[in-house]
Amino acid sequence: MQKLKLLLLGSTLLLASGCATVISGTTQQVHVKVVDSNNNLLKNATCSVSNGSADYEFESNPATIMVNKNESLVIKCRAKGYKQKGTGFGKSFDSTTLVNVLFWPGFLVDGVSGSMHKYPSHVVVEMQKV
């Protein structure tokens, strides 16, 4: 009976490691919308998204893409008669990682997998007339 309790405790601790990796995952959906300076949707916009290990192209606007959370995200858009004014966003801390206080090796798992970070769920790219 004692061995069973130890096995159960060990299994629980192992499963708790990398809590954000298990709960939030290593990928994330990001909704991208391309607008002009009046916040009107640009229908003719084409965007490329670079995420370190993968590149995505999309022509629909708005679009939803799936990205890996362990890489930096770069969004570049183009539209006839416009230039990209800016896209300012960054990663933030995924609070699910805090559960790893109970089992510290989970921080290592979440750090390596990128799960301790998250991107904003919506990104607006503003374009300026040239």
Side-chain angles (χ1 to χ4, degrees), residues 82-124:
Y82 291 88
K83 68 176 181 176
Q84 185 169 331
K85 187 173 181 181
T87 308
F89 65 93
K91 293 181 188 179
S92 61
F93 182 73
D94 189 345
S95 59
T96 308
T97 304
L98 294 176
V99 176
N100 289 320
V101 167
L102 303 173
F103 191 68
W104 67 267
F107 280 115
L108 299 175
V109 174
D110 288 345
V112 170
S113 70
S115 296
M116 68 182 346
H117 302 287
K118 63 182 177 180
Y119 293 112
S121 60
H122 291 76
V123 174
V124 177

Side-chain angles (χ1 to χ4, degrees), residues 2 8 12 15 18 21 27 39 64 66 88 95-98 100 110 117-118:
Q2 184 68 12
L8 184 59
T12 303
L15 288 174
T21 302
T27 59
N39 207 30
T64 301
M66 185 68 75
S95 59
T96 308
T97 304
L98 294 176
N100 289 320
D110 288 345
H117 302 287
K118 63 182 177 180

Side-chain angles (χ1 to χ4, degrees), residues 7 15 23 34 37 40 49 64 68 77 86 90 96 118 121:
L7 180 62
L15 288 174
I23 294 172
V34 184
S37 57
N40 296 317
V49 178
T64 301
N68 295 322
C77 297
T96 308
K118 63 182 177 180
S121 60

Side-chain angles (χ1 to χ4, degrees), residues 17-106:
S17 70
C19 203
T21 302
V22 174
I23 294 172
S24 301
T26 59
T27 59
Q28 176 187 337
Q29 278 189 345
V30 176
H31 304 281
V32 180
K33 181 169 86 170
V34 184
V35 299
D36 64 12
S37 57
N38 295 321
N39 207 30
N40 296 317
L41 206 60
L42 288 178
K43 294 291 184 185
N44 62 340
T46 303
C47 296
S48 64
V49 178
S50 177
N51 188 236
S53 57
D55 292 325
Y56 313 92
E57 284 272 337
F58 60 91
E59 294 181 12
S60 61
N61 185 22
T64 301
I65 57 172
M66 185 68 75
V67 296
N68 295 322
K69 295 197 290 185
N70 63 342
E71 303 285 345
S72 60
L73 189 64
V74 178
I75 300 175
K76 294 182 181 177
C77 297
R78 53 201 175 281
K80 188 173 184 176
Y82 291 88
K83 68 176 181 176
Q84 185 169 331
K85 187 173 181 181
T87 308
F89 65 93
K91 293 181 188 179
S92 61
F93 182 73
D94 189 345
S95 59
T96 308
T97 304
L98 294 176
V99 176
N100 289 320
V101 167
L102 303 173
F103 191 68
W104 67 267

